[in-house]
Amino acid sequence: MAAKLNVSESSESDSPNLSNLSACSRTGSRSLRVAEKERRKNGAEEPFVLALKYFSNVEAGTPVIGNDEFERNMVLVEQVAYFKGLSPEAISVMLEFAMSSRMGTNPCVRVLKCLIPTTMVPQEAVVRGVAWLGVGKIPISSQVLFIKWVLTIFDMIDAKDQLRAIYGFIFSFVTEESLCPFICHLLYLLTRKESVRVFRVRKLLDLQSKLGRQPFLSHLLSLYKVLCPELVTLSIPSRMRSGFRNHNSPWKSALIAVQKSNGSQTDSSTSLPLTIKEKTSLRKRKHKHLELPVLSSQVNKQPQTEPFTSRKVVPLAQLHSLSQLLENMHCIELPAQMGSLLGSSLALQYLDCVQDESALLRLNFWLGYALNEEFFFCGDGGGSQTSEEALQFLDKLLSSQQFLQEGFSSTEAFLYKFLSVWDGSLFRPQILSLLSNIPVVPNSQIGQLLFEPLMQLFFTSSLFFRCGLMECLNNMLLKWLTWHSVYALEDDLDISLNSHTSINMTLSGFKDSVMELIHFAGRLGSVGLQLEGCHSLLLSFILDFYETVCDTFLKYGLPLVVMPPPGVFYPALFAPDPVSVDRLVNIMYRYKVNLTSAKSKEKVTEQAFHISRQTFREFNHYIVVMVNCLWNSKMFQPDMGIQLGEELLLKSNIPEYWASFDLVHHPAFLSYAVDFHQRCWPGKKVLDLNSIKHSKPWTWYLEFLNSQGYDGLKQVVPAP
Amino acid sequence: MEQLSNSLARTPLNSVVVKRRSKTKSFRQSYRSCLGLTPALTARRLSKSRKAPKSHYITEKVNPEHLALLLKSEWKLSYVTPLYQFRHTQLKSYSRQLSAFIAAEKQQGFAVEVDGSQSNFRVSFSVVQGMTETEDDAETVLIQIHSKPLFAKQSEAQRSVWSGWLTCVNGNSDYLCSLPKDFICLPLFGSSGSEVLTTLVQSWFQKMFDCCFGPLEMNNTCLQWLAALWTNCHPESSIQHLKMIWTLPVVPPLQITYTVNPKDAWKLWSSVRKDPCEENKEEEGVSIDIEDVMRFMQGLKSHFYRHFRLDLSAGCLKQVSTALGSATFSGRVKISNSQYILSTLTLLTECALFKMPV
């Protein structure tokens, strides 16, 4: 189709705008000849080209009635239009023909109805069409049809800058009563902040007082309010919130058909992102503090920002995609109510990169207010009926915090207060997740703010709370360690955290807090395991925690190694499930790797940290116990941690008690040993597990265990 | 609430001047903790001791018209979080914008020009000079809304239909100083007039200054303080009666109105005062401790118990009133005597600051 560009050649003389489109035809007669040849080649399309030529050249005043030539060409164009749509050039020609009323006003409607674009519509054609409106030859009904057509194909117009440039001209048509609704819609689509002026506001208000409360006026005005709240104010009732009506009925089916046959997916439905609050399905509440404010632009401008001198700003409410956000990054205006940011991920993206203290404080005031009102002050609200909303609110808060990867300070303040009155079950998952987001608490306050209330809750709550709390502490530790590693990197290994904290925290202060947290979890873990009879679920959460702890040095660069307390180590070592034992062995292996690398680093750098002897001693002790117990069958040796009286052990009547926790007899691995025994000696009737301990079967047995997925065991004592 | 304030009172945080970020813009605020941001966790609790109300010659400091207005009506109290970019110099423009806002809200779907003068509601903002006690206090702002009744004659003048104010008297200076300078803290909001207008004004403030309004109830401690403070003024200006309303949690609920003769109240009050002002007399202010207040209330309660065998400690104090003013649990306050207005507002400011979320 591109070859037919030259048809607009003829209209070039009177329409310089259009000629831009057909730039290639400007090269004169030579290209014309080439095009002529081309045209001959695909003769099938020639009649259509001729038809277009007819419409672009037809003289003013040619009669329509009884004009067979017109009829023939018109039918041809219609056929092409409905079959595969019109090219941009064809649209230009036909629109120009229709709007100029060269053959009277009759064909206008017919032409407009068949203006189905294939791909896009040249802006210039639309601008010229609008310009013809001013001439006043066209009947109102056709004018309306034209604007409706523009609205329908609005998204297919290739650019909008020139249309915006004639905003004032388009605006002048609002006084035309029957055009007004459609003009308002078009203006709505074109309005920019700079197009909102006092005189336009006055004109619209004037119309409003004449026509009454019309949705189209209200919607345009509400956009004006979003852009310039200092000029106009308006509140839209809920029943009027439907937006503009679609006017695409004359073209809809044809457009869809053409797009289908072309396989293009241009979405021409002009959906309007009205900045109006969504109607909540929830019933009206007495207290509205959990409602997110609407994202709206700021009314209260700085006094110095005069409309003419100020730099251009874009309200956040006007942005709908990340690319828009990035384009306008330098000139974004924060919304009137910072609480509204919580509802939009786009806004959160922005909040993440602005470091505006006041903005954050505003957000925190609102958030803290909402949380306080909901959980402390609203005693009369009746918890059950509001819990659904509170749940949604907390979930939203959580997802925002997870998005930002940090907690808000008002959430933190709220949690410290809330922990002392919490029953441990109200919104447990949410509260614990929020808790795991809190920043590092200074050593001096951590006990009173966190540990005391949590300890009370831990001892008085169910197993599930205990597991949840261990998970929460693990996540908290992970966050703290991650922050540490990020900052240590950012500051070029200047490990003093002084500069970025509002609380005065040094590396040693940070280490103290982390150590307190680990010890606290260790205490809870030990006592919890006792209370729950070494419940394997709880044990699993505790081991999760120590999987984080054992790698603090290598993974997070924190020079700190804290061993688990005996209350955690032994229950895990003697656990009846092989997974726990294997995980413990793996944890001990990671401790070993961390400690050796710390030691070697200590030697190299000298000035580096110092890990206390006590830690090494504890580690060595645990390793000895573990290896003696699992591999060497030497339980209850006098120098081991666990000592029992000789007589007592004899009294128990357990034969070879020293071997009862080796890898063969350990309750966790017994079934594997039996299984192995059967595979190894299928004929044997008598089960003799001790035979596994001979050197050859022992190697096979260890390999067998490895093949079952217990890699931890392999790492401590590699198979010989 | 009580439990809460206790737990807060234990917090050993020092409210030193907050160290704010200075170095680079590249780091994120991850390590920022509420512990360092504001002295919020400690600063906001009710004082354990306060100066006895002096009879201020407030009539000399404050515009008598304004003062009369403050004393005229009963106020419904709310707390307000700090106002972002509120300027006392912009009151004229606020008046215009609020009246346009009210007009727009009243006729839903009808746009209103902000500078238009056609509005049925005339709003005026004004500063009440002379209400501040310290340098950190922001000046009190008075808002009045005038309107014509719906079926009024043309000639009829507009009447005041709503009034309200925002104030801060003797606000905790640690807290006030910790706020960045584009925040103005006027934590106490009183309103009198139709609920609808109150809601409209509040939502306008919320949109305009990004603040939040919450109801300010007056807990037992606060009401007891008021009872004691007012009784303490008796020799200078008669309280005429000390009336308290208690509710007891029994079925059916029992409400008790307990009225005390002013002389008896004063006698009881002077008897429970620790050292009846001997040594402090020369000093400017006489301070009252919370222990005095508690002993005073205990005296009143045990007197009641002796007569009716009902222990009021089991109940809840709902209302206190004297000739100097009255206050209810639900947060309605009337101040009838201009001399003690500032000390009452100081107490109420404290209560409001106590509710601040950050």
Side-chain angles (χ1 to χ4, degrees), chain A residues 381-399:
Chain A
S384 59
Q385 65 176 20
T386 62
S387 65
E388 186 57 34
E389 259 166 294
L391 189 68
Q392 281 177 8
F393 183 82
L394 289 178
D395 282 339
K396 195 161 255 174
L397 173 59
L398 263 174
S399 66

Side-chain angles (χ1 to χ4, degrees), chain A residues 202 205 208 213 218 221 230-235 237 298-300 302-303 336-338 352 355 357-358 360-362 364-366 368-369 372-373 377 404 406 409-410 412-413 420 439-440 442 445 448-449 483-484 487 490-491 499 501-503 510, chain B residues 3-4 7-8 10-13 19-21 23 25 27-37 79 82 84-85 87 94 97 100-101 104-105 108-114 175 179-180 182-183 206-210 212-215 355 357-358:
Chain A
R202 294 227 167 106
L205 291 177
Q208 181 186 250
R213 210 170 294 195
S218 302
L221 280 163
E230 66 276 11
L231 287 182
V232 62
T233 181
L234 162 79
S235 137
Q298 208 165 336
V299 193
N300 184 18
Q302 308 261 9
Q337 288 169 280
M338 286 296 289
D352 197 32
Q355 289 286 328
E357 177 134 26
S358 298
L360 267 174
L361 198 53
R362 281 157 66 195
N364 277 317
F365 274 129
W366 174 79
Y369 156 83
N372 279 352
E373 281 291 328
F377 303 152
L404 295 173
E406 64 197 348
S409 61
S410 54
E412 194 196 349
S420 58
V440 186
Q445 289 150 25
Q448 190 227 328
L449 290 176
W483 286 332
H484 165 76
Y487 286 126
E490 255 186 26
D491 266 23
S499 52
T501 48
S502 38
I503 36 176
F510 175 77
Chain B
Q3 200 189 341
L4 249 182
S7 79
L8 292 181
R10 279 188 283 120
T11 316
L13 295 185
K19 196 173 168 191
R20 299 211 173 272
R21 292 181 291 117
K23 206 174 120 195
K25 284 270 172 191
F27 59 82
R28 298 139 49 85
Q29 61 270 34
S30 308
Y31 269 116
R32 308 165 100 233
S33 145
C34 72
L35 299 174
L37 200 67
Y79 69 93
Y84 177 65
Q85 293 196 336
R87 284 178 208 84
Y94 296 159
Q97 296 192 32
F101 178 80
E105 287 290 324
Q108 294 271 303
F110 224 80
V112 177
E113 193 188 345
V114 169
Y175 184 75
L179 293 172
D182 37 7
F183 286 89
Q206 281 164 11
K207 292 194 174 107
M208 201 66 183
F209 308 109
D210 205 356
C212 311
F213 286 77
K355 288 242 182 182
V358 183

Side-chain angles (χ1 to χ4, degrees), chain A residues 163-193:
Chain A
L163 276 172
R164 290 208 173 93
I166 57 163
Y167 189 93
F169 184 69
I170 300 175
F171 189 91
S172 65
F173 291 102
V174 289
T175 43
E176 196 68 58
E177 201 170 322
S178 36
L179 272 182
C180 183
F182 311 103
I183 289 290
C184 282
H185 191 168
L186 184 57
L187 290 173
Y188 186 96
L189 297 174
L190 292 172
T191 302
R192 288 264 175 104
K193 193 176 167 73

Side-chain angles (χ1 to χ4, degrees), chain A residues 285 287 289 372-383, chain B residues 215 217 355:
Chain A
R285 288 184 44 147
H287 306 288
H289 50 259
N372 279 352
E373 281 291 328
E374 180 63 24
F375 291 98
F376 296 126
F377 303 152
C378 255
D380 58 326
Chain B
E217 311 92 24
K355 288 242 182 182

Side-chain angles (χ1 to χ4, degrees), chain A residues 188 215-223 236 240 243-244 274 276:
Chain A
Y188 186 96
F216 46 89
L217 281 175
S218 302
H219 287 306
L220 183 57
L221 280 163
S222 73
L223 180 64
I236 292 205
M240 256 166 65
F244 288 102
L274 270 181
I276 292 172

Side-chain angles (χ1 to χ4, degrees), chain A residues 212-353:
Chain A
R213 210 170 294 195
Q214 297 294 344
F216 46 89
L217 281 175
S218 302
H219 287 306
L220 183 57
L221 280 163
S222 73
L223 180 64
Y224 277 25
K225 182 197 157 196
V226 168
L227 295 168
C228 289
E230 66 276 11
L231 287 182
V232 62
T233 181
L234 162 79
S235 137
I236 292 205
S238 50
R239 63 193 148 75
M240 256 166 65
R241 281 174 190 170
S242 46
F244 288 102
R245 249 183 294 158
N246 268 329
H247 310 293
N248 54 8
S249 47
W251 299 276
K252 195 175 171 187
S253 54
L255 254 178
I256 292 172
V258 165
Q259 281 178 0
K260 224 179 219 168
S261 73
N262 290 346
S264 66
Q265 284 295 315
T266 324
D267 186 21
S268 64
S269 68
T270 50
S271 59
L272 297 175
L274 270 181
T275 51
I276 292 172
K277 202 177 350 181
E278 275 170 51
K279 217 173 160 190
T280 44
S281 55
L282 296 158
R283 82 206 112 135
K284 269 204 170 168
R285 288 184 44 147
K286 197 169 132 205
H287 306 288
K288 289 191 173 169
H289 50 259
L290 290 186
E291 249 173 47
L292 294 190
V294 186
L295 194 65
S296 59
S297 48
Q298 208 165 336
V299 193
N300 184 18
K301 305 277 171 125
Q302 308 261 9
Q304 66 266 27
T305 54
E306 295 295 316
F308 302 106
T309 57
S310 71
R311 67 201 176 96
K312 196 179 142 224
V313 290
V314 180
L316 204 49
Q318 286 280 292
L319 303 175
H320 302 293
S321 72
L322 186 65
S323 57
Q324 282 178 320
L325 179 78
L326 294 176
E327 275 165 32
N328 298 297
M329 205 64 179
H330 56 288
C331 56
I332 288 175
E333 177 195 76
L334 285 166
Q337 288 169 280
M338 286 296 289
S340 56
L341 291 191
L342 218 53
S344 128
S345 61
L346 199 63
L348 284 174
Q349 304 258 24
Y350 181 62
L351 181 71
D352 197 32
C353 39

Side-chain angles (χ1 to χ4, degrees), chain B residues 79-262:
Chain B
Y79 69 93
V80 195
T81 60
L83 310 176
Y84 177 65
Q85 293 196 336
F86 179 88
R87 284 178 208 84
H88 285 86
T89 51
Q90 299 279 306
L91 297 185
K92 273 232 172 72
S93 127
Y94 296 159
S95 306
R96 277 202 311 271
Q97 296 192 32
L98 179 55
S99 63
F101 178 80
I102 292 173
E105 287 290 324
K106 286 272 174 188
Q107 21 186 344
Q108 294 271 303
F110 224 80
V112 177
E113 193 188 345
V114 169
D115 279 326
S117 51
Q118 78 282 26
S119 172
N120 195 26
F121 291 90
R122 188 168 59 81
V123 179
S124 70
F125 278 69
S126 44
V127 175
V128 183
Q129 303 276 356
M131 295 282 284
T132 57
E133 285 277 270
T134 66
E135 267 184 21
D136 301 318
D137 289 346
E139 291 282 0
T140 301
V141 174
L142 183 71
I143 308 153
Q144 285 170 283
I145 301 178
H146 296 269
S147 167
K148 254 185 212 178
L150 203 53
F151 301 106
K153 286 177 207 136
Q154 279 292 323
S155 57
E156 219 170 302
Q158 285 189 323
R159 279 187 325 187
S160 166
V161 288
W162 187 92
S163 44
W165 41 261
L166 288 150
T167 193
C168 177
V169 182
N170 262 322
N172 180 310
S173 64
D174 282 342
Y175 184 75
L176 297 181
C177 293
S178 74
L179 293 172
K181 67 175 188 326
D182 37 7
F183 286 89
I184 294 283
C185 191
L186 286 165
L188 187 62
F189 173 73
S191 63
S192 130
S194 82
E195 281 284 325
V196 182
L197 281 174
T198 308
T199 319
L200 285 182
V201 171
Q202 289 184 346
S203 71
W204 181 79
F205 265 92
Q206 281 164 11
K207 292 194 174 107
M208 201 66 183
F209 308 109
D210 205 356
C211 56
C212 311
F213 286 77
L216 182 66
E217 311 92 24
M218 317 209 39
N219 57 19
N220 264 329
T221 321
C222 183
L223 288 175
Q224 290 172 354
W225 262 114
L226 280 174
L229 288 178
W230 281 329
T231 309
N232 190 60
C233 299
H234 181 65
E236 292 157 52
S237 51
S238 164
I239 57 169
Q240 290 178 21
H241 59 264
L242 170 64
K243 192 169 112 182
M244 289 163 290
I245 295 179
W246 299 76
T247 52
L248 287 181
V250 288
V251 184
L254 188 59
Q255 181 170 311
I256 293 163
T257 310
Y258 184 4
T259 314
V260 187
N261 182 295

